[in-house]
Amino acid sequence: MKPIYILNGPNLNRLGKREPHIYGTTTLAEVEASCRAAAGEHSVVFRQTNSEETLINLVHEAIDEGSGIIINPAAFTFTSLALLDALKMFEGPVIEIHISNIHKREPIYHRSYVSMRADAVIAGLGVYGYEAAVLSLLRLLRA
Ligand code: CA2
């Protein structure tokens, strides 16, 4: 089975080091470890980038090599039609994840372009949302 792609957008490399009251104290390396544990034998490609171009290129890589995508697009969620267009080219399941509940926040965080393509959206479960996303994606892949 092709790997699942877990893609993370801008600033998430700082996870666990800033705004712990919103995002918690777990680092992205620890999130990666919990995703790999949740995926078991299923292979995982886990990436973070601060660049919109690189994120789109990673979606293109997933189109060629991946079985499913979990994506926390961070600020590109609300701005990037190019990212939405790339995700629309992917034929497998896509889960959008946010650590915080974006709908509890200011109105600029309420309209997600990525949600127009995502098969499911997880928001507000903290970093546990990643594990939930992996288990849910594997279930969608088995269905
Ligand atoms: O809750 C999420 O996962 C977000 O996607 C995180 C994004 C934010 O722009 C979204 O609205 C919600 C990135 C937040 C800024 O980056 C930080 C990274 C680590 C720690 C604190 C902030």
Side-chain angles (χ1 to χ4, degrees):
M1 178 61 106
K2 293 171 162 183
I4 59 172
Y5 274 67
I6 305 178
L7 304 178
N8 295 279
N11 297 308
L12 288 166
N13 53 316
R14 306 296 299 165
L15 194 64
K17 297 166 189 156
R18 274 187 45 198
E19 301 179 76
H21 55 292
I22 303 177
Y23 299 105
T25 54
T26 308
T27 65
L28 198 63
E30 290 167 332
V31 171
E32 176 175 357
S34 70
C35 287
R36 291 189 186 283
E41 299 202 336
H42 203 113
S43 58
V44 170
V45 175
F46 190 101
R47 297 274 187 275
Q48 186 276 331
T49 176
N50 293 323
S51 148
E52 184 175 6
E53 178 185 358
T54 305
L55 193 58
I56 290 164
N57 287 337
L58 284 165
V59 173
H60 291 176
E61 188 182 307
I63 290 166
D64 294 332
E65 316 278 346
S67 54
I69 296 177
I70 294 167
I71 185 164
N72 184 344
F76 297 144
T77 309
F78 316 103
T79 62
S80 183
L81 283 170
L83 178 61
L84 172 62
D85 285 344
L87 287 166
K88 280 181 175 171
M89 293 177 212
F90 183 73
E91 290 181 353
V94 174
I95 299 183
E96 174 184 354
I97 184 220
H98 300 281
I99 298 164
S100 61
N101 180 359
I102 53 177
H103 299 290
K104 246 173 119 177
R105 302 183 60 195
E106 301 93 316
I108 50 164
Y109 294 110
H110 292 176
R111 189 190 61 179
S112 164
Y113 286 122
V114 170
S115 292
M116 296 172 77
R117 164 62 183 89
D119 298 294
V121 181
I122 295 173
L125 289 180
V127 293
Y128 170 70
Y130 279 86
E131 222 175 297
V134 170
L135 297 175
S136 305
L137 191 73
L138 295 180
R139 209 180 155 107
L140 289 173
L141 287 169
R142 278 196 299 267

